[in-house]
Structures are given as structure tokens and as C-alpha cells.
Amino acid sequence: MMIAKKLALAGSCLALFTVVGIAGSLAADEGKSNAPSERPTVAATRSFRTSTLEGMKVYNKAGEEVGKINELVVNIENGKVEYAALSVGGFLGVGDKLFAVPFRMFALRFDEDKTYMLLDVNKQTLERAPGFNQDHWPDIANANWAQEIEKYYGGASHDGTFVRMDGETLVMRDAAGESTHTHVLANEVKFTSGGKTVAADTLREGDRIRVTTTERDGKSIATSIEILSTRS
């Protein structure tokens, strides 16, 4: 499907396209050293052009090469990358197939000689995941489609107010301000504000937050925490 056709999806705040940068921070060049070295090294940068991300290899925690990033789905309204279209190739023993995976689930990793994405999924999870053919994209403007993807990967979100963090546990108050509850923090939990990554200690009691969680071993795990507004 042509990119221009995807942008024509009515009512969509999402669009699939190749951009020069992501969320205003991708203008920085990827660092390269001219110094001689017996072993090539990769500069640990967080800024990438989408042309670099597209085609980047993806591995799971078992060290298996899952596939590569095919394209990115961007929310035009807030400038965030919402999903990556993951091409799994022969990983599942089938022909080339694409899977829309929430971008928050990917973690950038650097080895001494390569940069890649880490995705904490196994073969069974992808076998059951909603997939599609390169030439037959789903209607990404459809809210039901987005909900299906988020539900499958455990991306339920809810709002509330920040209370405190006790070690690896987030304590928050519900949106009504009537009761508190907790979530265990994922190892790769992301803290953001206004579409930008921030430090965990940016949070202050009373800040309005949106927490995205998944279920692991019967526990509610917070995978991302977005600061919606700060307490005045």
C-alpha cells in the first residue's frame, strides 16, 4: 500500500510515513569515530533517522533474531511513534508477515559492533498475534484495531495522580482521588512528559499521570508512565 494512501484514511490521527526525525529529537547525527580501532564500536546515541530504524534487526531475550522493523506508525497529533510494523520473516516458519507491535515494547540495545532492538516476546506470542500482509494493511485509523493491538500486548492504560515510588513499586491514586493502588515498575519502564523522555525523579506528589500496564505472573507491571500535568 502506498504511504499516500495510508495518510488518506478518514478521521485518522495516525499516519504511516518516513520522516527525517522523530518527536523533534532526531536531528542529531549518529556518532562515528575516525580513530583506528581493531574492533568497530557503536556510539550509544538515542537519536536516529527513521531510515536507520527501518530495517533494524530485532532480537528477543532468548537471543533469537525475531525479524526487523519494516515501517513505523506515527501519531500526527502528538508526534509519537505508536507502533512498529515488525517483519518476522522465517522466525515463525512462514512467509514474510507483518505484526503491529506497540513501540513502547522495544528497547534499544548496543553491542560492541551493532545496534539493535530488543523485544520481550517469544515465538508463541507472535504466532497468536494479529498479523497482516505487506500489501494488505489493516485500517490503522480504526479505534477498534488500536484497542485490539493494545489489549493483546497488555497495553491497558489508566489515569490517576502520583503519590510516591517505594523502591520498584509505583503508588498512585485513582482518577477520582478516592483510593490508592500500586504497580510494579518494569525494568524498562519509560517516563515521559510532553512527548519527551524525563527522569523518574521528575515526578512530584499530586502530578496527574497516565500509566500503561501489562500483566506478568499475576502482577500488574507498569511499562510506561506519562506525566499529563504537574501539581501547581
Side-chain angles (χ1 to χ4, degrees):
M1 179 182 293
M2 297 297 293
I3 292 175
K5 187 175 180 180
K6 296 172 191 172
L7 292 174
L9 291 170
S12 173
C13 67
L14 296 177
L16 185 72
F17 66 104
T18 301
V19 293
V20 176
I22 297 176
S25 65
L26 300 186
D29 293 333
E30 296 151 41
K32 295 181 180 179
S33 173
N34 293 322
S37 174
E38 295 182 0
R39 177 177 295 176
T41 59
V42 175
T45 178
R46 296 291 172 178
S47 298
F48 285 89
R49 293 171 296 171
T50 52
S51 59
T52 302
L53 291 175
E54 292 171 0
M56 184 175 286
K57 290 185 177 181
V58 179
Y59 295 82
N60 62 17
K61 287 190 174 181
E64 298 171 304
E65 184 179 331
V66 176
K68 62 183 180 180
I69 293 177
N70 183 276
E71 293 191 72
L72 301 173
V73 176
V74 179
N75 185 318
I76 294 298
E77 192 172 64
N78 59 28
K80 294 181 181 179
V81 179
E82 300 280 4
Y83 306 100
L86 176 64
S87 174
V88 301
F91 181 68
L92 300 179
V94 296
D96 203 35
K97 192 175 182 180
L98 298 180
F99 296 88
V101 181
F103 197 67
R104 58 179 168 74
M105 296 186 63
F106 293 87
L108 192 64
R109 289 289 181 267
F110 301 94
D111 278 352
E112 290 183 336
D113 59 352
K114 67 180 178 180
T115 301
Y116 61 95
M117 287 290 187
L118 180 67
L119 179 63
D120 188 11
V121 298
N122 54 36
K123 185 177 293 187
Q124 290 70 34
T125 298
L126 282 179
E127 284 176 337
R128 297 189 298 267
F132 55 94
N133 185 276
Q134 169 69 48
D135 298 322
H136 298 88
W137 276 74
D139 181 4
I140 60 176
N142 190 321
N144 291 330
W145 175 83
Q147 291 173 4
E148 179 185 6
I149 297 299
E150 290 294 337
K151 182 178 180 180
Y152 182 81
Y153 288 102
S157 298
H158 62 284
D159 296 355
T161 55
F162 176 74
V163 177
R164 64 181 182 278
M165 279 187 288
D166 290 336
E168 298 180 352
T169 301
L170 167 72
V171 182
M172 65 180 293
R173 189 169 286 108
D174 62 24
E178 296 177 351
S179 61
T180 60
H181 60 278
T182 63
H183 300 287
V184 177
L185 298 175
N187 291 333
E188 300 294 338
V189 62
K190 296 179 180 179
F191 297 86
T192 61
S193 178
K196 298 180 179 180
T197 301
V198 297
D201 59 11
T202 302
L203 283 163
R204 296 291 182 268
E205 184 176 358
D207 288 352
R208 266 202 338 117
I209 59 175
R210 175 168 296 152
V211 180
T212 300
T213 63
T214 187
E215 294 292 325
R216 296 178 190 169
D217 300 323
K219 297 180 180 179
S220 178
I221 310 294
T223 56
S224 70
I225 300 171
E226 179 183 3
I227 302 175
L228 302 176
S229 63
T230 57
R231 183 180 180 181
S232 57

